[in-house]
Amino acid sequence: MLDKNGMEIKTGMVVEIKDAFFKNDNGLYFVEHSAGDPDWCGSDHSLRKISKRGKISQAKHNLCFWPIGIFISDRFKAAEARTWNKEHATIEIRTEIDRSEVAAYFNQMAEDLTDRIQREAWDYGEESQTVKTSTAIQKHYRQVASEILA
């Protein structure tokens, strides 16, 4: 997917959402998952909220999707929000935000997979599809972290 300036949005980038229907959807996020990632089967982007200084939010409601997902029980308000977001909400890649904590996040995700991959290798064998998939995910996380730090 592209941002409002026509740049492709990729995993690890910092983006800003503006003019969303619900105010809590506006703000800075980093792209945690994108379509085509080995650990993601969605067609959208999964976003995690960050501060202006690049600190990852620990708040309860710190996730968002692009296009923005509406998760409320009032179907009329949900329809109104979807229409509003389609017409007005924008996403823009921000390059001036510090991404060192985001890189550390992806490095930690890769490190967390090490024990799991070892266990899967013991359980299913080194050449199993499960081990190959987990290894591809770990490689993806490390690649995202290295691209951020480059």
Side-chain angles (χ1 to χ4, degrees):
M1 274 184 216
L2 305 176
D3 76 343
K4 73 178 194 175
N5 299 320
M7 295 176 62
E8 184 179 358
I9 300 170
K10 297 179 183 175
T11 303
M13 291 182 158
V14 173
V15 295
E16 182 177 20
I17 294 178
K18 291 182 181 176
D19 300 324
F21 184 81
F22 295 109
K23 287 183 181 181
N24 62 326
D25 288 334
N26 293 317
L28 292 170
Y29 297 87
F30 77 90
V31 181
E32 187 174 23
H33 304 285
S34 296
D37 289 354
D39 64 334
W40 188 248
C41 61
S43 60
D44 52 359
H45 295 286
S46 173
L47 312 173
R48 189 172 291 266
K49 195 167 271 239
I50 61 172
S51 71
K52 293 176 183 175
R53 296 181 184 254
K55 183 171 173 20
I56 299 173
S57 173
Q58 300 300 318
K60 183 177 179 181
H61 302 288
N62 65 349
L63 299 176
C64 191
F65 296 92
W66 187 262
I68 298 172
I70 307 297
F71 305 101
I72 60 173
S73 59
D74 183 341
R75 65 182 217 190
F76 295 110
K77 192 166 193 167
E80 180 183 8
R82 278 189 206 92
T83 302
W84 174 273
N85 286 339
K86 198 175 279 190
E87 295 173 3
H88 300 285
T90 61
I91 190 166
E92 181 178 16
I93 296 170
R94 300 284 301 270
T95 56
E96 75 280 0
I97 306 295
D98 178 30
R99 296 190 300 162
S100 58
E101 192 167 323
V102 175
Y105 173 84
F106 282 107
N107 275 327
Q108 185 61 49
M109 294 283 283
E111 195 59 39
D112 291 348
L113 283 174
T114 303
D115 291 338
R116 177 176 151 187
I117 292 169
Q118 182 63 49
R119 183 64 193 189
E120 289 172 348
W122 292 337
D123 290 347
Y124 308 115
E126 294 283 337
E127 297 301 317
S128 72
Q129 186 58 44
T130 305
V131 172
K132 290 178 183 177
T133 300
S134 295
T135 304
I137 292 169
Q138 184 181 47
K139 181 181 175 186
H140 167 71
Y141 288 151
R142 287 191 174 136
Q143 181 180 354
V144 169
S146 67
E147 286 174 5
I148 290 170
L149 297 174

